[in-house]
Amino acid sequence: MTQADLSETEVAAPAIMSDSDVIAKCRRSDALRNEEKLVDAAREAFLASGTEASLEDIARKAGVGIGTLYRHFPTRRHLVEAVARKGLGEVVELGNSLLGSNDPGQSLMTWTKAVVKNTAEFRGLAMTMAETFCKPTADESPCSALRVVGEAMLAECQAAGVVRNDVTVDDFTMMVNALAWTADQTSAASFDTLLAVMFDGLTARN
């Protein structure tokens, strides 16, 4: 076997991490865990007390100090946005899982209800979202991903003849936003009636 053959078959030795690299990796893992715990604790607190819940209580529930909370989230709005992003991500996943169903109309209603419930879940969240990453100019945002899923689901409904063809994704988005804002402002426990009225108006007529 020639030297060239040896070079081609030689397997590179695995990189050996230094002590400092191991420590840095552990710190990053700890930081990610703390961030996740803070977001989960904030979500529970916001459910109970709205987005003005005590940050000290949130840190305590997460099992970290208030300094750790501020290192991850310098302001209350940063924490609220993190909670909102996680919730919107879950709703986007739900929408993707419902695409291609045998009952696109029911899937769209199920998804819309989840969107409104997520947005109105915490008092003050709808306004925060409208003022930050759900602005029309925020192309790379959780709300833009939400819009993409909504547009795909709406198109499926229109192709199946269950939703009016003259309804655009902008129309649909405005209706959902209005429903979410109303539920947020009134702290309504149920918005099934409003949702039913909205979908009655969306339904295609023969």
Side-chain angles (χ1 to χ4, degrees):
M1 184 177 289
T2 65
Q3 184 65 38
D5 293 330
L6 288 172
S7 299
E8 289 176 1
T9 58
E10 185 178 6
V11 178
I16 299 176
M17 296 179 67
S18 67
D19 289 344
S20 60
D21 289 336
V22 172
I23 292 172
K25 185 176 181 180
C26 289
R27 286 176 176 171
R28 287 194 295 271
S29 297
D30 288 342
L32 286 174
R33 280 195 296 271
N34 285 338
E35 184 172 305
E36 289 174 0
K37 288 191 294 185
L38 283 164
V39 171
D40 289 341
R43 190 169 190 170
E44 291 182 12
F46 294 163
L47 274 171
S49 307
T51 55
E52 295 302 314
S54 166
L55 297 182
E56 289 78 8
D57 287 346
I58 291 172
R60 187 161 46 251
K61 289 177 181 176
V64 302
I66 189 65
T68 298
L69 184 150
Y70 280 116
R71 277 195 296 274
H72 287 280
F73 307 105
T75 67
R76 178 183 296 275
R77 173 157 288 186
H78 284 97
L79 182 56
V80 172
E81 289 179 14
V83 172
R85 285 178 185 277
K86 182 174 182 178
L88 286 176
E90 294 169 354
V91 174
V92 169
E93 288 181 8
L94 173 63
N96 284 324
S97 72
L98 292 171
L99 284 171
S101 74
N102 294 327
D103 190 346
Q106 182 58 49
S107 293
L108 183 63
M109 179 175 282
T110 298
W111 183 74
T112 302
K113 188 172 183 178
V115 173
V116 175
K117 182 179 179 182
N118 175 76
T119 307
E121 202 169 24
F122 323 117
R123 292 194 307 275
L125 181 58
M127 185 60 68
T128 298
M129 288 170 58
E131 293 175 348
T132 54
F133 50 73
C134 282
K135 289 182 176 180
T137 55
D139 293 330
E140 300 298 328
S141 74
C143 285
S144 65
L146 203 69
R147 178 187 173 91
V148 169
V149 175
E151 187 170 18
M153 297 188 77
L154 182 64
E156 284 191 347
C157 288
Q158 290 173 329
V162 295
V163 169
R164 293 166 47 166
N165 286 323
D166 60 342
V167 176
T168 68
V169 66
D170 289 331
D171 297 330
F172 180 70
T173 300
M174 284 190 288
M175 284 186 279
V176 173
N177 288 344
L179 190 57
W181 186 85
T182 300
D184 175 77
Q185 294 298 307
T186 59
S187 299
S190 172
F191 42 82
D192 289 344
T193 300
L194 291 175
L195 188 65
V197 171
M198 171 182 158
F199 270 82
D200 183 66
L202 289 171
T203 302
R205 310 297 181 189
N206 294 328

